[in-house]
Amino acid sequence: MPDQRQATAAKRPAWSRGRTPGAENPSSTTPPIRRRPVWKAVLLVALILGACVMFFPFLWSLSTSVSSGVGMSATPELIPDNPSFAAYAELFRKTPFARIIANSLGLAVATTVLQIITSSMAAYVFSRMPFPGRSIVFALYLATMMIPMQVLLVPLFVQMRNLGLVDSYLGVLLPSVASAFGVFLLRQAMNSLPRELDEAARIDGAGHLTIFSRIILPLVGPSIATLTVFSFMNSWNSFLWPLIILRSNELKTLPLALAGLQGQYTTRWDVMMAGSIVSILPMLAIYLFAQKYVIQGVANTGIK
Amino acid sequence: MSVGLSSASMSPVAGSLDRTKGSCSAGAARRGRRASRVKYALIIILFLAPSAIPLVYFTVYPMFSALWVSFHKWNLLSDMTWVGVGNYIDLIHDPLTQRAFLNSVLYIVGYFPLVYVGGLGLAIALNSAVPFRNFLRGVYFLPVVTSWIVVALVWRWLLNPSGGVANYLLSLVGVQGPGWWTDPHWALPSIILASAWKDLGFVMVILLAGLQSIPQDLYEAARVDGAGWWARLRHITFPMLTPSTFFVTVISLINGFQVFDQVYAMTGGGPAGASTVVVERVYDLTFRYSQAGTASALSWMLFLLVLLVTVVQMIGQRKWVNYA
């Protein structure tokens, strides 16, 4: 896998230079439909209909969340007669939902900050500080991306138990302090920076610490933005590991709390949808601001 | 990749030589060189440690530790007893585990054509000059950033046998909808449907990036030669897109075997194990039945299977992937 990623990235320099599929590039359109306005209109209508279908589940959960007390067999209505926020109120009254949002947010921010720090430092070495055996060490970093979380479940849990970190934030956080994906992403970005920059700084007497923090880091901003969005998203949405580590209700993260709502409110779909909407919103906000970086990240490496 | 030459000339050793040239004695130069070499090594260690230590301690070590555990009977508390490959043999004969592997395969068989054909169609359509195309790309991509648990909850509601909007819409056209995730025959298809919805945008973006790397002059040349829309798609787009297709295939298979969140939240593997998958089985064995040894053996079986499938794909790619 890592080889494949590297190969694709190397094969398409356009990506590593940070061009996104979203970036306007009139010359790169598949040509067939250009001269047929009728087909173009048909295509547009089809795409818009498809987008409506894609968006419908979101709309539907929003609609359900504001129609209080949706029963089992009522005729579904997209626009409820008496919209109310009762379900949201109930959610926050009956479960520690504010605390749960804070948990998710804290863990996501901590994970993101730590991953950016650890990844950028390692990426700098892999890009700018040659040493014997460096390519082997880098290959080993990439190889860890292949190891699935599932294989680690039992021993990782035992390790956390021995460290006394079961049912603690630290237990959730520690395994994701480093990200091989982040190292790979930032190294690619740093490799694309001209080496004359460091050369010039070195002549002015700058050491590696200065070059790293003052020159290289600011210049890989877009890739750090991509990593930020990915780290945040992965942490915000992660389920399996927090499910194993976190036990107490007040420590739980959003996905855990949402899965828990199912048991608590088997048929109260309005409450469950309210919970879903609340947990989508922050991710949605980030996505709207950073759509470019998210899509670029996927296009670059294809890692979710 | 162009690391070698240019950065060698910037190494501190070369730098210190320049600085000391002519002005100092040879001994001082050597001392300075050694000091800066030590400093160089220290910086490397300092910079690598924050990522290397967690990766070794929380990924590499547990992985081999899981292999060790997989040869034992262990309930997570008492001492381990060596059983050799006993766990692996038990698992091969366990009907629920067989079911889990079968379901994982069925999942991939159902899921992959949906996301690939859908993603390819979208990528081609959204690569042409349609109005609002960035906005449309954004909408199609939106489910990718949503958590699996939300997707599972929302789809449980959409596909709810009573009061769910899917069956309501079906009833409008006179079709009696199935029980979806409550019905053993429809549980897996329900999961596949929700997963395809979530991942469609992901596949679309990878294929879009692939499409945009196809040189335009190929199309121009083909048009000059009188190739029609279909001919260009078949003889230029498809062959040039094979690297991206390969990538999507590999990633989909890896992820397909590791499906867990959506199954756990949508059906819990039910009804009656009808939609159980491998990772869910690992989770159950560990935390419900405290059979850590068997669970580790199963996770290693899964890992080896995924590795095998990936290696086979890597070898097979020579036959069909076209690296220009």
Side-chain angles (χ1 to χ4, degrees), chain A residues 1 12 15 21 27 30-32 35 47 51 54 64 72 130 134 141 146 148 155 159 161 195 237 262 287 301, chain B residues 3 6 40 51 57 62 76 127 137-138 140 147 156-157 163 197 209 212-213 216 223 229 247 250 258 265 307:
Chain A
M1 282 320 298
R12 305 200 175 93
W15 296 4
S27 70
T30 338
R35 269 166 282 171
L47 280 171
M54 285 302 275
T64 306
M72 292 287 281
R134 188 176 72 165
Y141 265 68
M146 264 199 68
Q159 255 174 308
R161 198 178 61 187
R195 271 149 219 286
N237 292 343
Q262 271 192 80
Y287 176 60
T301 50
Chain B
V3 186
S6 56
Y40 185 73
S51 52
Y57 193 64
L76 284 165
N127 195 37
R137 284 174 186 173
Y140 283 107
S147 88
R156 254 173 90 99
W157 174 220
W197 174 75
Q212 292 182 345
S213 71
Q216 281 309 297
R223 195 172 308 119
W229 181 78
F247 186 72
V250 170
Q258 293 174 5
L307 198 66

Side-chain angles (χ1 to χ4, degrees), chain B residues 27-271:
Chain B
R30 210 178 301 128
R31 258 198 312 279
R33 209 185 308 160
R34 185 180 300 149
S36 79
R37 200 179 281 168
V38 167
K39 194 180 162 208
Y40 185 73
L42 275 178
I43 295 179
I44 289 178
I45 292 169
L46 182 80
F47 270 39
L48 285 185
S51 52
I53 292 172
L55 282 178
V56 169
Y57 193 64
F58 295 116
T59 306
V60 180
Y61 166 72
M63 166 148 170
F64 290 103
S65 160
L67 186 62
W68 176 246
V69 172
S70 77
F71 295 124
H72 295 79
K73 277 255 170 301
W74 190 36
N75 65 3
L76 284 165
L77 295 168
S78 61
D79 288 337
M80 295 196 265
T81 8
W82 176 267
V83 291
V85 291
N87 287 328
Y88 291 88
I89 291 169
D90 287 352
L91 280 168
I92 291 171
H93 294 105
D94 172 39
L96 257 179
T97 304
Q98 293 168 355
R99 181 77 215 214
F101 273 106
L102 178 69
N103 278 346
S104 292
V105 171
L106 287 177
Y107 171 86
I108 291 169
V109 168
Y111 159 91
F112 186 73
L114 281 180
V115 289
Y116 186 73
V117 173
L120 182 64
L122 281 176
I124 291 174
L126 287 170
N127 195 37
S128 61
V130 288
F132 316 115
R133 78 175 174 174
N134 276 351
F135 172 77
L136 287 167
R137 284 174 186 173
V139 173
Y140 283 107
F141 193 78
L142 196 55
V144 179
V145 302
T146 314
S147 88
W148 273 116
I149 304 306
V150 169
V151 171
L153 265 187
V154 169
W155 279 83
R156 254 173 90 99
W157 174 220
L158 288 172
L159 299 178
N160 206 31
S162 50
V165 71
N167 279 0
Y168 172 74
L169 291 176
L170 284 176
S171 76
L172 289 184
V173 291
V175 177
Q176 166 74 46
W180 298 110
W181 47 269
T182 61
D183 178 332
H185 297 293
W186 284 91
L188 199 58
S190 307
I191 294 169
I192 290 171
L193 204 59
S195 307
W197 174 75
K198 178 165 159 55
D199 287 346
L200 193 63
F202 173 74
V203 174
M204 172 193 80
V205 166
I206 291 181
L207 294 179
L208 256 175
L211 283 179
Q212 292 182 345
S213 71
I214 302 177
Q216 281 309 297
D217 34 355
L218 288 181
Y219 288 109
E220 301 299 333
R223 195 172 308 119
V224 169
D225 290 346
W229 181 78
W230 173 246
R232 271 173 286 158
L233 197 66
R234 196 175 120 73
H235 296 292
I236 300 174
T237 309
F238 287 161
M240 295 299 285
L241 206 57
T242 46
S244 305
T245 301
F246 172 68
F247 186 72
V248 170
T249 317
V250 170
I251 286 283
S252 299
L253 259 73
I254 290 178
N255 290 338
F257 278 113
Q258 293 174 5
V259 159
F260 173 75
D261 295 11
Q262 64 267 53
V263 177
Y264 180 91
M266 250 182 107
T267 65

Side-chain angles (χ1 to χ4, degrees), chain A residues 10-263:
Chain A
K11 233 183 66 58
R12 305 200 175 93
W15 296 4
S16 44
R17 269 188 245 117
R19 198 190 67 182
T20 64
E24 284 309 325
N25 187 356
S27 70
S28 84
T29 54
T30 338
I33 305 135
R34 204 178 279 162
R35 269 166 282 171
R36 298 264 194 81
V38 181
W39 279 110
K40 204 163 145 179
V42 170
L43 183 69
L44 183 63
V45 170
L47 280 171
I48 290 174
L49 278 179
C52 291
V53 172
M54 285 302 275
F55 196 69
F56 179 76
F58 292 112
L59 207 61
W60 189 246
S61 54
L62 181 67
S63 149
T64 306
S65 74
V66 292
S67 20
S68 69
V70 171
M72 292 287 281
S73 52
T75 312
E77 284 170 337
L78 192 55
I79 297 156
D81 293 334
N82 295 310
S84 86
F85 289 98
Y88 291 86
E90 184 166 350
L91 188 68
F92 281 88
R93 205 174 49 240
K94 294 223 174 127
T95 62
F97 222 68
R99 173 68 191 265
I100 284 161
I101 294 171
N103 291 341
S104 269
L105 204 62
L107 278 172
V109 169
T111 308
T112 308
V113 170
L114 285 169
Q115 283 194 359
I116 289 171
I117 294 172
T118 60
S119 304
S120 59
M121 288 166 82
Y124 180 79
V125 171
F126 288 125
S127 170
R128 290 300 201 268
M129 301 182 76
F131 63 87
R134 188 176 72 165
S135 53
I136 297 172
V137 177
F138 184 62
L140 289 175
Y141 265 68
L142 293 184
T144 64
M145 284 205 282
M146 264 199 68
I147 302 174
M149 176 71 204
Q150 292 76 24
V151 183
L152 313 177
L153 280 187
V154 174
L156 209 50
F157 174 74
V158 174
Q159 255 174 308
M160 290 303 162
R161 198 178 61 187
N162 295 343
L163 292 170
L165 294 177
V166 171
D167 203 21
S168 73
Y169 296 133
L170 213 54
V172 181
L173 189 63
L174 275 184
S176 46
V177 161
S179 156
F181 161 69
V183 175
F184 174 69
L185 185 80
L186 295 183
R187 171 198 176 258
Q188 294 297 95
M190 289 179 189
N191 272 355
S192 70
L193 297 177
R195 271 149 219 286
E196 289 75 18
L197 284 172
D198 332 20
E199 210 86 57
R202 191 170 304 283
I203 289 164
D204 290 343
H208 278 289
L209 292 175
T210 316
I211 296 177
F212 169 64
S213 58
R214 297 282 166 81
I215 296 170
I216 302 290
L217 263 194
L219 287 173
V220 293
S223 293
I224 289 183
T226 303
L227 182 59
T228 304
V229 177
F230 271 77
S231 303
F232 191 93
M233 181 171 83
N234 284 338
S235 169
W236 186 262
N237 292 343
S238 75
F239 181 67
L240 182 55
W241 184 242
L243 176 72
I244 286 164
I245 284 295
L246 298 176
R247 302 290 159 83
S248 353
N249 271 331
E250 64 271 20
L251 293 188
K252 283 192 171 158
T253 57
L254 268 168
L256 297 186
L258 284 177
L261 282 183
Q262 271 192 80

